[in-house]
Amino acid sequence: MPQLDGKLGIVFGVANKRSLAWAIARALDSAGARLALAYQGERFEKGVRELASGLRNALVLPCDVTRDGDLDSLFERVRSSFGALDLAVHAVAYAKPEDLEGGYLATSREGFGLAHDVSVYSLTAIARRAAPLMEGREGSIVTLTYLGGERVVPNYNVMGVAKAALESSVRYLAADLGPAGVRVNAISAGPVRTLSSAGVSGFVGILDRVAQSAPLRRNVEPEEIAEAAVFLLSRAARGITGEVLHVDCGFHVLGV
Ligand SMILES: NC(=O)c1ccc[n+]([C@@H]2O[C@H](COP(=O)([O-])OP(=O)(O)OC[C@H]3O[C@@H](n4cnc5c(N)ncnc54)[C@H](O)[C@@H]3O)[C@@H](O)[C@H]2O)c1
């Protein structure tokens, strides 16, 4: 695995040990990075602190990504503790449960706005605050997306539309931040059982379908997604930006 010794990173989206953000945090820690973990709110604090105690000297800080004040104070704490930043991981998404079943047609204006605020705008809000700390350090930002942003996946609905906007944001942010040497990429992960994915109606059926028909005839493991993230965040990927890398056992190549 590429080495990240001495690198300073921030990871958004650890809720529990099943979180893809947690798999990524562990892999970054093993590769030598020192991390700040940003958790959503009080409900998650105890669990995230327990997990973080197994990492090297991690900072654990609250941040609701829909609140500019939270983001400002978080990045101020990171600046005062770390002084700079090399890596940022955005593994955050939310849509109302009623918008993750039935048809997309029923999506309310409020549900559409909420899903896009939490799952899409937050990447831009984070990148804007991270970039100044990455100045002159060849910074790298990675977000997580899903095939439902490219194709219709039953019940994924507004989250699919949000992932399409997230992937487009990756390309625009890559163009904006490239001149400063900061790279922005996405991993399109295959389905993994987590708190968020459990909210998508019929998710277990998706896991079964992928295991039966993906070229590798199985589902992806969180560690495989995490190691791809370490690659994109490392110097090994220094020529790659604006990219969406599928880590899904090949499922996305299938036509039928
Ligand atoms: N699990 C999958 O099958 C899968 C597949 C592809 C992509 N993804 C993406 O991976 C990312 C991580 O999801 P996960 O599956 O690990 O589930 P998860 O539930 O463990 O992580 C989602 C995180 O988003 C955070 N979050 C939600 N609203 C927030 C807010 N307002 N402020 C701050 N944080 C907030 C939650 O606290 C949680 O930590 C998401 O973007 C998801 O869409 C997941």
Side-chain angles (χ1 to χ4, degrees):
M1 211 175 14
Q3 285 308 296
L4 296 170
D5 290 315
K7 298 288 184 190
L8 300 165
I10 184 161
V11 177
F12 291 81
V14 179
N16 56 41
K17 65 177 195 295
R18 287 179 182 271
S19 296
L20 296 180
W22 175 239
I24 295 171
R26 264 187 314 177
L28 291 172
D29 182 77
S30 301
R34 182 174 175 213
L35 299 177
L37 300 185
Y39 63 92
Q40 182 180 353
E42 257 173 48
R43 184 155 73 96
F44 299 103
E45 179 171 7
K46 187 162 172 279
V48 175
R49 285 199 185 280
E50 273 168 28
L51 289 172
S53 64
L55 303 178
R56 85 191 63 209
N57 199 11
L59 275 181
V60 180
L61 302 165
C63 181
D64 180 329
V65 298
T66 63
R67 296 190 189 148
D68 284 330
D70 279 21
L71 284 159
D72 288 340
S73 28
L74 172 79
F75 276 94
E76 182 46 36
R77 286 282 302 277
V78 170
R79 196 196 57 75
S80 62
S81 300
F82 285 181
L85 207 51
D86 301 291
L87 326 166
V89 175
H90 172 269
V92 169
Y94 182 75
K96 291 177 167 195
E98 62 262 36
D99 288 331
L100 296 172
E101 61 183 9
Y104 172 65
L105 191 63
T107 310
S108 66
R109 188 185 298 276
E110 192 207 343
F112 185 95
L114 178 65
H116 282 71
D117 191 13
V118 176
S119 320
V120 185
Y121 182 71
S122 57
L123 176 67
T124 301
I126 288 166
R128 201 165 62 230
R129 290 166 175 87
L133 295 173
M134 292 178 167
E135 209 180 313
R137 299 176 71 94
E138 300 184 341
S140 180
I141 299 172
V142 164
T143 186
L144 292 179
T145 185
Y146 177 59
L147 188 63
E150 300 170 63
R151 316 255 176 84
V152 173
V153 172
N155 301 313
Y156 202 60
N157 300 346
V158 72
M159 191 52 75
V161 176
K163 290 304 191 191
L166 180 71
E167 292 172 25
S168 188
S169 299
V170 164
R171 293 184 279 273
Y172 278 93
L173 290 171
D176 282 353
L177 296 176
V182 176
R183 298 181 295 107
V184 187
N185 292 291
I187 289 175
S188 184
V192 176
R193 212 184 283 259
T194 62
L195 191 62
S196 294
S197 63
V200 180
S201 182
F203 180 75
V204 174
I206 296 177
L207 282 176
D208 290 345
R209 174 87 190 278
V210 170
Q212 281 161 21
S213 55
L216 295 179
R217 296 289 191 277
R218 62 175 178 83
N219 279 291
V220 72
E221 298 291 337
E223 293 71 25
E224 294 168 329
I225 297 162
E227 287 182 35
V230 171
F231 162 67
L232 286 174
L233 292 164
S234 77
R235 253 185 82 69
R238 63 193 174 280
I240 301 174
T241 194
E243 185 67 302
V244 178
L245 176 65
H246 292 82
V247 183
D248 65 349
C249 297
F251 187 76
H252 71 285
V253 305
L254 300 179
V256 276

